[in-house]
Amino acid sequence: MLNVVALITPYKKNGKINWLNLNFLINFHIFNKTNIILLLGTTGESHNFFFIEFLNLLLFIKKYKIKFIFNIFDINIKLIFYKLFLLKKNNFLLVLISLPKFILPNNISIYKYFKILNKFGLKLIFYNIPKRTSKKISQFTFNKIIKKKFFVYIKNSINNIKNNLIFKKKKILIFSGEDKNLFFINFYFGTISVYNNLLPKTFLYLNKKNIFFIKKNNFDINPVLIKFFLFKNYLIIGSFNSLLFGVMVFYFIPKVRLELTRLLN
């Protein structure tokens, strides 16, 4: 089973990327034999990243001997296309992508969007997460997209047997989209998880052992919580990226620390 980590980008107190810390994290996952590193794939990262940071990150990772995937998500569709063009030019041929944030897209416009994406010649992992994109694709549109082979992988956040069986029947390779639903672990081609940041070697084993606990307690594995664990274990230093607040420093915001402590206890 393929093990993909949604890597957390470390920041300095001034809001700049901590490149030294990022170098450590990448080498940490290479040492722990993580299969692939997903960049800009945790909640809030792709939303808060400036284009120049994306470009710098693209150039920074070219020296490492591990496979990288970029998560591409933006309100500006032209900017999405420009990023895909740069990835293709730099031989990053596998991309995680979800529906763009435009108002009330119908299924025809969604199909056209995937048709244009296909022209870039990249392999797409479609991130199917209606709770964030506010749009559920009809099964008819899914069938058309799959028939045209606009994507061959899917990170599916609708993790129930019926939904996964539909994609399995269509010979789509499925990545688990929700850590707390890994009960049907044999269903998946791999996992794309923020949880891998903490326990890359033992991630799958621990999920198998603890899945009943996770389901019973309805534990929501939120990236902010994982970032806090990494901070406390000195894997990241100083700051993290939040969807609501941008780059935020743990120890400068007592209310955040208090709330996280309450959740942990």
Side-chain angles (χ1 to χ4, degrees), residues 44 133 188 245 261:
T133 58
Y188 305 114
F245 303 105
T261 304

Side-chain angles (χ1 to χ4, degrees), residues 22 66 160:
L22 182 60
I66 188 171
N160 58 60

